[in-house]
Amino acid sequence: MHTNWAAFAVTEPEFAKTVEERFASYTHHVLATLRKDGSPRTTGLEVRFLNGELWFGMMPNSLKALDLRRDPRFALQANPGDGTGMGGGDVRIGGRAVEIADDDTETRRRYAEEVEPPEPFHLFRTELTEVLRTYVEDEKYLVVQVWKPGEPVRTLKRT
C-alpha cells in the first residue's frame, strides 16, 4: 500500500511538517535506488514538496533516473547536516517513484514554473510506503517514529 505526500500530511500533519522542515534545512539529500544487478546505488538529489506531492527532478538519462525507470523503489534520507547534532533527527522516506511522461505538459509546466530546472529533465512524483524519524529525547531516549499508509504513527522509545 502507498499514498502521496498530501494524504500523509492530512492524516499526520505534525509529523509531515517535521519531515518537511528537516528536508528544508539543506538542499542536497541522499537517494538510494537499485542498479540493474539489484545492488544499491546512492546519489545526491534535490527534492521539492509542491502541490501535495514530493517530487524528484533529474538530469536526462542520469543513472538514478534510469534505475527508477527500471525499478521504482527508492529510499530517501534527509541530509544529516554538520557534525553529529542531527538537529530535527534522522528522517527517511521510502516509496515508489512514478515518472511524469513528457506529454503531461501541464504537470511538467507547473513543476518547471516553481523549480526552474535545466531542460530537459526527468520528473518523478512519489508514492510513499514509509516515513521514519529517529531522534534523541532528553539525552536519554532513542525515539523512532514510523508511519506507513493506512496506519497511525508508531512511536518506539528505548534507553
Side-chain angles (χ1 to χ4, degrees):
M1 182 176 209
H2 40 75
T3 190
N4 72 357
W5 187 260
F8 165 61
V10 165
T11 60
E12 298 293 343
E14 187 175 315
F15 191 25
K17 182 179 181 223
T18 299
V19 171
E20 282 192 49
E21 288 172 351
R22 188 69 187 82
F23 275 96
S25 296
Y26 296 91
T27 303
H28 296 96
H29 307 286
V30 179
L31 177 70
T33 58
L34 296 170
R35 300 171 192 252
K36 283 182 192 178
D37 67 3
S39 63
R41 179 192 317 271
T42 59
T43 54
L45 180 72
E46 294 180 30
V47 301
R48 295 287 196 274
F49 294 90
L50 298 170
N51 305 316
E53 300 282 359
L54 169 57
W55 298 97
F56 301 161
M58 300 173 193
M59 294 174 60
N61 297 314
S62 66
L63 293 176
K64 57 191 159 198
L66 297 177
D67 287 348
L68 290 173
R69 281 181 159 179
R70 186 175 43 260
D71 186 327
R73 294 176 293 172
F74 72 86
L76 176 69
Q77 183 161 4
N79 185 325
D82 299 331
T84 59
M86 297 288 288
D90 176 34
V91 175
R92 290 172 275 158
I93 298 172
R96 298 171 38 90
V98 177
E99 188 165 17
I100 304 302
D102 289 341
D103 63 359
D104 186 347
T105 55
E106 181 59 22
T107 300
R108 295 176 68 81
R109 181 192 62 74
R110 284 194 323 265
Y111 177 84
E113 281 179 357
E114 292 286 332
V115 178
E116 299 178 3
E119 297 278 346
F121 63 95
H122 292 285
L123 180 61
F124 296 86
R125 69 174 181 77
T126 60
E127 297 177 342
L128 311 178
T129 56
E130 179 180 68
V131 180
L132 186 134
R133 177 180 177 226
T134 305
Y135 62 98
V136 176
E137 182 180 280
D138 298 331
E139 297 183 23
K140 181 178 179 180
Y141 299 102
L142 178 67
V143 181
V144 180
Q145 294 176 290
V146 180
W147 172 87
K148 294 184 179 188
E151 300 175 16
V153 172
R154 287 183 303 134
T155 302
L156 311 162
K157 280 187 182 182
R158 59 183 172 203
T159 55

